[in-house]
Amino acid sequence: MNSDPRAENQPTADSGHNVVLVGIDGSDQARHALERALEEARAQDLTVRLLGAYPVIGVGDPGLEMRFTEAVMKENAGHLAEARQTVEQAGLPVEVVEAGGDAAKAVVEQSGEAALVVMGKRGRGGALRGRLGSVSAAVAAHAKCPVIIVPEAAETRSPERHPERRGGSAGDFALEADGPVKADQIDFTGRVVVGLDALGSRSPALGKAVAYAQEHGKALALVSVNGALSGTPSWFQDEFNQARYFHEADQKLTQISDEIAAQHPELTVEHHIFVGRPARILMNATHSADMVVVGSRGIGGFRGLLLGSVSQAVLENATGPVMVVPAHRP
């Protein structure tokens, strides 16, 4: 008989990258993230891997340290057992991992073996401050695979209930064939929205957005945002830059749309061109989109879009799920 009660819960060496990793800390947000992870596991045929991280202290008193460690390990094991039961009741394969120490580090390390990470936007506070939910932004920035951050359970997808979070302003608008349209009038319901930068069709975020839209039977919406132009006087935009920017961006997005349609004829693809602040535009899209996909790093967009520099702002204010896709690293 194995003397380590955790040994049977550890993932096997041949698990590969066919897992969706979800952080478990006993919070409502962790439960909400688990629900999302179950959806992703079904859609992508993945195993659910539950990760519970517990804090480790060093106070110079071995007895106190032991009692503390035993208490937090017991609590952590209880949260994991509850989550495991939920996954098993859903009829999905499950793995359990326990880790002592920093939660963000544990998730990032495990992300190298996962196809996807799902985390809650917030976690537990109080004595357990620093656990999983509170480190979601750090995980999104450093994970080795795409990360889906689900909004707080108390958040609503109805912008009318949180007018201060609509994300639109007088300076944010979409350039359509018929002229400017207010940014917050664009409805992305049933769509996967992806912000594009200068990488265009080579963007890792675009590839993941296409795959996600296919797996979930959603339409794909390509978004280009000109942040530099929004800082110029309106008369300058109207008389000089607006038409030129629309023409250039429309040509690039049309070409990308055609490439996607040729490779994936079953996928509905549309594109939208905005003038405004990229973070605000993409955050506004979270009010209605099924998923908003951004890159963890950017290289500049069609005249100024830096997705990497705004992804954290989008995560902080999003009212819908956001997927952050890591940039290619050498």
Side-chain angles (χ1 to χ4, degrees):
M1 181 175 178
N2 197 318
S3 59
D4 185 354
R6 293 174 292 164
E8 62 179 346
N9 293 331
Q10 301 305 313
T12 58
D14 60 353
S15 295
H17 292 72
N18 297 319
V19 301
V20 51
L21 178 67
V22 57
I24 301 297
D25 66 0
S27 66
D28 289 340
Q29 274 304 292
R31 296 185 184 93
H32 193 41
L34 178 57
E35 293 175 2
R36 185 75 192 211
L38 297 182
E39 295 179 16
E40 302 304 327
R42 293 189 188 98
Q44 303 183 45
D45 193 23
L46 300 174
T47 294
V48 179
R49 180 178 295 179
L50 309 172
L51 172 62
Y54 55 88
V56 176
I57 64 168
V59 296
D61 183 334
L64 178 59
E65 291 177 9
M66 180 178 296
R67 290 193 297 274
F68 176 83
T69 300
E70 289 175 348
V72 295
M73 286 182 65
K74 181 179 179 180
E75 181 188 47
N76 188 55
H79 296 324
L80 289 170
E82 178 185 358
R84 180 169 192 161
Q85 184 178 22
T86 298
V87 180
E88 290 175 341
Q89 290 175 344
L92 295 168
V94 60
E95 301 173 351
V96 176
V97 176
E98 297 178 65
D102 182 72
K105 181 179 179 181
V107 176
V108 170
E109 288 178 349
Q110 283 287 318
S111 71
E113 302 177 4
L116 180 68
V117 172
V118 180
M119 294 189 67
K121 188 175 175 181
R122 294 287 185 273
R124 301 182 64 171
L128 296 179
R129 190 174 304 278
R131 298 278 292 274
L132 283 167
S134 62
V135 299
S136 56
V139 170
H142 300 289
K144 301 176 179 67
C145 69
V147 178
I148 292 179
I149 303 296
V150 296
E152 298 176 60
E155 297 262 27
T156 175
R157 299 301 295 276
S158 173
E160 286 73 20
R161 295 191 181 184
H162 289 294
E164 75 280 4
R165 295 192 177 188
R166 288 182 67 90
S169 75
D172 299 330
F173 58 90
L175 289 170
E176 305 287 327
D178 297 331
V181 177
K182 289 184 179 180
D184 56 15
Q185 292 179 344
I186 304 296
D187 188 352
F188 289 110
T189 300
R191 294 164 176 79
V192 176
V193 174
V194 56
L196 290 181
D197 59 19
L199 283 174
S201 59
R202 295 178 291 113
S203 167
L206 176 60
K208 290 298 180 182
V210 170
Y212 189 92
Q214 285 185 301
E215 291 160 353
H216 293 76
K218 305 296 181 180
L220 180 69
L222 313 180
V223 167
S224 166
V225 184
N226 185 303
L229 185 59
S230 65
T232 61
S234 58
W235 61 266
F236 185 80
Q237 296 178 22
D238 294 340
E239 296 183 22
F240 295 93
N241 279 349
Q242 194 177 106
R244 177 181 176 184
Y245 166 63
F246 176 80
H247 178 69
E248 292 180 352
D250 185 61
Q251 280 189 318
K252 291 182 178 181
L253 292 183
T254 297
Q255 180 180 356
I256 294 173
S257 297
D258 290 344
E259 291 174 356
I260 295 172
Q263 297 175 12
H264 311 281
E266 75 289 352
L267 188 61
T268 299
V269 185
E270 62 187 50
H271 65 261
H272 299 271
I273 302 164
F274 289 90
V275 171
R277 296 190 178 184
R280 216 156 48 189
I281 294 293
L282 293 171
M283 184 270 288
N284 190 69
T286 69
H287 297 321
S288 56
D290 283 46
M291 179 69 69
V292 171
V293 183
V294 297
S296 62
R297 298 289 185 273
I299 62 169
F302 303 151
R303 299 180 181 275
L305 173 59
L306 292 172
L307 282 176
S309 65
V310 303
S311 58
Q312 297 292 339
V314 174
L315 289 176
E316 178 64 26
N317 297 286
T319 57
V322 177
M323 177 189 288
V324 181
V325 179
H328 290 311
R329 293 180 174 84

